[in-house]
Amino acid sequence: MPFVTSATLNKRYDVIVVGSGAAGGQSAYTLSMEGARVLMLEAGRKYVPENETPMFQTPEEGPLRGAATPDKRFGFYDATINGGWEVPGEPYVQTTHAAAGRFDWWRARMLGGRTNHWGRISLRNGPYDFRAHTRDGLGFDWPLSYTDLAPYYDKVEMLVGVYGNNDGLENTPDSAPGCLLPPPKPILSDLLIAQGARRVGVPVIAGHRAVLTQKLDFNTSPARLHPGNPTAQKIIAADMQARAACIWATPCARGCSIRANYQSTTVHLPPALASGNLDIVTDAMAHEITLDRRGLASGVSFIDKTSGKECHASARVVVLAASSCESVRILLNSKTARFPQGLANSSGRVGRYLMDTVGSSLGGQIPLLESLPPLNEDGASESHVYTPWWLYQEQLAGKLGFARGYHIEFGGGKRMPGLDTLAGIEWLTGGSYGKKFKEDARRYYGSFVSFDGRGEMIPNEGSFCEIDPQLKDKWGIPVLRFHWKWSEHETRQAAHMQKTFKEIIEAMGGRVNGAVQTDGAQAIQAGGSIIHEVGGALMGRNAHSSVTNRWGQTWDVKNVFLADGAVFPSNADKNPTLTIMALAWRAADHILDLMRRKDL
Amino acid sequence: MDRRTTIKWMLAVSASMPLLHQRAAGIDASTALPPVPGQGYGTDPDLTRIYHPGDLWPLLLTPVQRRTAGALCDLIIPADSASPSASAAGVVDFLAEWVSAPYPHQQADRALILAGLNWMDSEGVRRFGKDFTALEEAEQHLICDDICCEQTAQPAFTEAAKFFARYRDLTAGGYYSTAAGRKDLQYIGNVPLKSFEGPPLELLQKLGLSPDEVQRG
Ligand SMILES: Cc1cc2nc3c(=O)[nH]c(=O)nc-3n(C[C@H](O)[C@H](O)[C@H](O)COP(=O)(O)OP(=O)(O)OC[C@H]3O[C@@H](n4cnc5c(N)ncnc54)[C@H](O)[C@@H]3O)c2cc1C
Ligand code: SF4
């Protein structure tokens, strides 16, 4: 079962899932593997990683040596299709273009969404992250605890395949036995960074990424994933066997044709389709949830982009998983007499408390890494190691001047040379050219390291989106308008990142490239630019202060669920996607349960 | 440098050297700068086919510009016993593809680079009475030595040094992203491996590192 069209849809489904990324993929997987009849609506085109991934292509085989252009913002070979900071024909509005107040919105209009090219860093939120407000009085608590979500983190890790160690560190949870795959060995710069970081009191541990460092455990995991469901076990065991392990070459951001990393298109959708319970319509731009006379959702209206026609699909339940802001947009555009402010918005909080991750970066050059013998450091593409937040106690004692933490991601190694590999090295060479430049290039190649801080943003009243009163996209659908504000908790945190990076670089005997920003407002990257959009339809304990309950079920319309990051009440420094998938699985279990009990 | 500054820079250069522009080629190209004729590859290009410069948009460098471009990129990356020169590795074609691309960033570079190449020829004429390409290598070095470092260049050469820095980055980028460049840097990846072993022990020892630097719980 299959890819269908707006003309060949079934009359009625159990569940419509809008979106096919991490959230939609996980929802459709769990629901269809457990027997629900699911229709997935995806705005982008069908995408087949097995055929379309430029695995081994070298830069000179692409236009402009693979450089980024407005058509392909992260480079020619990046797996983003019909997406980027702008999507043709689908604008959004910034209230200001000033760096401090802007929100840049990254979208990918393709089957699998952003999971085709994401960084695959897969960290669990820790126990503190679910009760942030209780701990320091800021932001919101989650209506569930770490223990509620832990079994779902285990399941997602077993299903998609995540490498890492159980290091037992504060608020950096361990996984159940048999969940994690072994981490890859560190590359040389990782070891130097770890040594330098230790000198200044910063821990470095194995990274956690959704890459198969070995094949999945197809003997044991299926029964743990789908207890009591032999059909599902059989399907997933076969699919796990079909996925290859990483071959330690080719950048993950291009996607993986051998299915060795997580993309919704290579991991969630194939077994879900094999279950026979999933239909997918691509090029289907959902814009409104329709209601029946009882005020329950009856289905979803969408534009068939291939014909431009307005279509409708019906189901017992609607799950929005179109990415946080887009799900918010669909709710706000679903206006009726009953819901004049938009669907499920009786609290007035749909669109509020939008969050991204705090980002700040610094690079350095390390003399110890110069003129080394050839090394193959492709590895698993990135992040064999990382630094989890380490100053919980100092922070709680009020010593840092900002309330929440950050983790550090590292770059380094003798990567495949590209357009920028030896650009801008005049600060090291004094402007050499000729034979001297060639010698300098050999000397400095592979001697650079980079540090990216990824920190928690606290939700605030000034960061939100709403429907723009005028502008519509090319389908005639009203678009979003963004407002953005950082607080001092974020800007001071960004300045702290810069200070830490400088200390580590110097402890490695290296030199900082460029200026260390001591002014946090300068150090922080623009809102949205880390592409961890979450919030906008927060889950909470009651209907007047939140949009959904702890299963992502909207308070106002009980058969409408949100499965993506929109429900996050806080945005821990941990990259959000693993948590999105764990929540989506949990929500899907709840939907199945309610359907069995005829409560939906 | 945006296009307006480039033109201003060109005008300043021509004003100070009224005798130098008998030959029209360079100046015309840089002051007129009509929009490029081609179109971008769009947001859904075929990622698996192989592209060559000229496949997607016409290459706009004139023969004279190509000649100067080649001379300058070979001065930056000459052949040596280990690897070929920039032009032999296809860098002139790459530069032509780059400045002809219908994207804003490349068009800003086009203005800078065409003006810069033109300046190189004018400066050759001004100092030695010949185009840059016709100069002895030692004469070419005399010019390049004045502009190869933005930090230390004399004020009169500020703009030319900006051009040179960008030109060197593009030349190096165009060069090291080819098979010849990868070989020169001894890049040995992009091949499938059965396992990933990390750096060899001897190397770690030499650098004072242990394989266990990374903390384990
Ligand atoms: C370069 C990059 C690196 C990243 N690295 C990491 C990382 O290392 N770790 C991490 O945790 N996260 C990372 N992320 C973020 C991660 O990609 C997202 O958190 C994740 O994809 C969210 O899943 P989603 O399903 O909510 O949204 P998406 O994956 O964006 O999927 C949403 C889908 O819905 C479709 N859709 C949208 N609107 C409609 C509509 N109206 N009708 C029908 N369909 C619609 C879209 O086309 C899309 O396919 C990264 C993102 C990027 C871009
Ligand atoms: S590094 Fe490994 S997982 Fe990533 S794309 Fe290459 S083969 Fe696939």
Side-chain angles (χ1 to χ4, degrees), chain A residues 45 51-54 56-65 67 69-72 76-78 81-82 88 165 167 169 185-188 191-192 194-195 198 203-206 247-250 368 372-379 384-385 414-419 422-424 426 430-435 437-438 441-442 445, chain B residues 40-51 56-57 75-80 82-84 94 97-98 101 103-104 106 141 144-145 148-151 165 168-169 172-179 182 184-200 203-204 207-211 213-217:
Chain A
R45 74 155 166 89
N51 306 335
E52 298 191 54
T53 310
F56 289 97
Q57 269 76 349
T58 49
E60 81 282 21
E61 293 176 343
L64 303 170
R65 299 295 201 257
T69 66
D71 284 332
K72 295 276 294 179
F76 185 73
Y77 289 122
D78 175 75
I81 285 172
N82 294 326
N165 280 333
D167 287 303
L169 295 180
K185 298 217 170 76
I187 64 171
L188 190 55
L191 294 169
L192 264 179
Q195 186 191 51
R198 194 172 55 233
V204 171
I205 62 173
I247 52 173
W248 314 109
T250 77
L368 271 174
L372 293 177
L375 291 169
N376 181 337
E377 303 202 283
D378 284 359
H384 291 198
V385 304
K414 289 178 181 265
R415 302 288 162 186
M416 175 143 66
L419 205 49
L422 291 155
E426 202 176 293
S432 66
Y433 65 96
K435 291 205 164 123
F437 180 78
K438 285 179 98 170
R442 289 165 198 146
Y445 168 58
Chain B
Y41 46 66
T43 54
D44 190 5
D46 182 348
L47 300 185
T48 57
R49 76 167 245 224
I50 293 179
Y51 295 81
L56 290 170
W57 42 80
L75 213 69
I76 292 169
I77 300 190
D80 62 11
S83 55
F94 160 68
E97 179 198 24
W98 187 269
Y103 295 113
Q106 281 70 18
H141 278 281
C144 289
D145 288 346
C148 68
C149 183
E150 273 191 273
Q151 295 249 310
R168 180 176 42 213
D169 279 356
Y175 183 78
Y176 291 109
S177 54
T178 62
R182 287 190 288 278
D184 181 281
L185 294 177
Q186 300 190 296
Y187 171 73
I188 52 169
N190 208 34
V191 289
L193 302 177
K194 281 233 154 55
S195 65
F196 181 76
E197 296 304 331
L203 182 58
L204 296 187
L207 297 178
L209 288 166
S210 113
E213 299 291 345
V214 172
Q215 189 177 316
R216 280 226 52 178

